[in-house]
Amino acid sequence: MNKFKILMVLMALGFVSCQNDDSSNLSSDDSFSSEAIAEEAESVLDNIALYSESTFGVYQSTGKTSLDSKTDGTSKRGRSGYFKDCVDITYEETDTTRKLTITFTGDCTDSDGNIITGTITKLRSKTDTSAERSITITNLSINGYLVNGSKSYTYTASNANGNPEMTGSVDISVVTDAGTISKVGTRTVEITAGADTDTCTDDEKTITGSSEFTDASGAVYSMVIDPALVKPAECKYIASGIKTYTNANGVTTVDYGDGTCDNIAIKTAADGSVTEIELGRKRHH
């Protein structure tokens, strides 16, 4: 009987050992390269949400109106310059809602060089005292990766620091070369410099939040941003800040750097190994 018990214990230990060898040990470079693509996609969604606000000149008309026309020399796509001529924005107002349909035609390139194709819809309830907005993303292509999901947030033109700020939740999936990944969590984006001008090209953004990330293998782990991610106005990539990923097998960090503008982040895995990750924007098709 004792031998039988010992055998059962050894078998159980062997099973646990095998379980700990799967991809949930956070060591996969593919997982973190894919997460970098998801971060880039989420940053694009942040910009679409921010620069489609009325403070940037988009919600200017009433009734069913195309926002392609110009009034007093100002494009109905807003004053930020984020939405190019390849973007068609249609505004529809009912008794209870305000709706924007934003369509990126062809391969539409934004000011950061991201290539966007497809349509998203943005709704705001007139009766919602919290002024919450919701965005629906359906088969939107960002740099060749298919994005689906939703984003709900509130926006203030001037927070306690006097800056524009957007805060809320996100639930997206992204089809990458390694497979489909997903992020569910909360996120706050503050324009910490450049907010005193209408143009988006001089805006520095600071990003905080946390999420649950599922990689292409199905492994799930939590993520916290601390210190905040910073994207300088002159850089197309996040230049500083740290993401920390945690699950039962340990802690992995991704460090975006010291503020130097480059497309490299440093990953330190739970086993102490250190590797470079190239940030996003690989599949323009």
Side-chain angles (χ1 to χ4, degrees):
M1 184 62 69
N2 287 338
K3 289 182 178 180
F4 178 77
K5 287 182 178 179
I6 292 171
L7 178 60
M8 292 300 291
V9 170
L10 289 174
M11 289 176 66
L13 288 173
F15 177 75
V16 171
S17 176
C18 289
Q19 290 293 91
N20 286 339
D21 283 340
D22 67 14
S23 62
S24 64
N25 62 12
L26 308 183
S27 64
S28 169
D29 287 340
D30 285 342
S31 292
F32 284 97
S33 293
S34 295
E35 203 279 340
I37 293 167
E39 174 64 45
E40 191 167 71
E42 192 171 2
S43 294
V44 169
L45 297 177
D46 290 340
N47 284 336
I48 293 172
L50 276 169
Y51 296 121
S52 61
E53 286 296 322
S54 59
T55 52
F56 293 98
V58 174
Y59 272 0
Q60 289 185 347
S61 25
T62 58
K64 294 184 178 182
T65 308
S66 171
L67 300 187
D68 284 335
S69 61
K70 295 186 177 182
T71 301
D72 299 329
T74 300
S75 171
K76 289 293 189 175
R77 297 183 185 89
R79 299 182 298 269
S80 70
Y82 180 78
F83 297 109
K84 310 295 185 182
D85 289 345
C86 54
V87 182
D88 179 63
I89 302 178
T90 301
Y91 177 81
E92 182 177 355
E93 185 173 336
T94 69
D95 291 338
T96 58
T97 62
R98 297 181 176 95
K99 177 182 177 181
L100 282 182
T101 302
I102 305 172
T103 302
F104 296 83
T105 58
D107 288 337
C108 192
T109 304
D110 72 6
S111 56
D112 286 327
N114 298 292
I115 298 178
I116 313 166
T117 305
T119 299
I120 71 168
T121 57
K122 175 179 175 179
L123 286 175
R124 178 179 176 182
S125 172
K126 289 183 179 180
T127 58
D128 186 353
T129 56
S130 69
E132 184 172 279
R133 288 85 156 140
S134 63
I135 286 180
T136 302
I137 306 106
T138 305
N139 294 331
L140 185 71
S141 175
I142 299 177
N143 297 323
Y145 300 98
L146 206 59
V147 183
N148 286 277
S150 61
K151 182 181 181 69
S152 298
Y153 66 95
T154 57
Y155 170 81
T156 177
S158 181
N159 64 8
N161 299 321
N163 297 324
E165 181 181 278
M166 173 179 65
T167 185
S169 62
V170 65
D171 184 347
I172 60 169
S173 65
V174 183
V175 181
T176 71
D177 293 336
T180 300
I181 62 175
S182 63
K183 292 180 73 175
V184 178
T186 59
R187 189 171 174 96
T188 296
V189 180
E190 180 181 1
I191 299 179
T192 46
D196 54 341
T197 67
D198 283 335
T199 179
C200 67
T201 55
D202 62 355
D203 289 349
E204 175 180 281
K205 298 182 181 72
T206 299
I207 303 161
T208 56
S210 61
S211 65
E212 185 177 89
F213 175 69
T214 303
D215 70 15
S217 73
V220 181
Y221 40 95
S222 62
M223 184 278 293
V224 175
I225 299 171
D226 187 25
L229 305 180
V230 178
K231 182 191 174 298
E234 69 278 5
C235 189
K236 295 182 179 181
Y237 302 95
I238 293 170
S240 64
I242 296 175
K243 290 182 177 180
T244 300
Y245 302 84
T246 306
N247 77 348
N249 292 319
V251 175
T252 297
T253 62
V254 174
D255 189 336
Y256 285 83
D258 59 3
T260 302
C261 181
D262 58 37
N263 67 334
I264 298 298
I266 302 299
K267 183 193 76 175
T268 303
D271 62 5
S273 60
V274 178
T275 55
E276 286 189 350
I277 298 172
E278 185 176 352
L279 303 179
R281 211 169 298 154
K282 293 180 181 178
R283 274 179 70 220
H284 289 171
H285 60 71

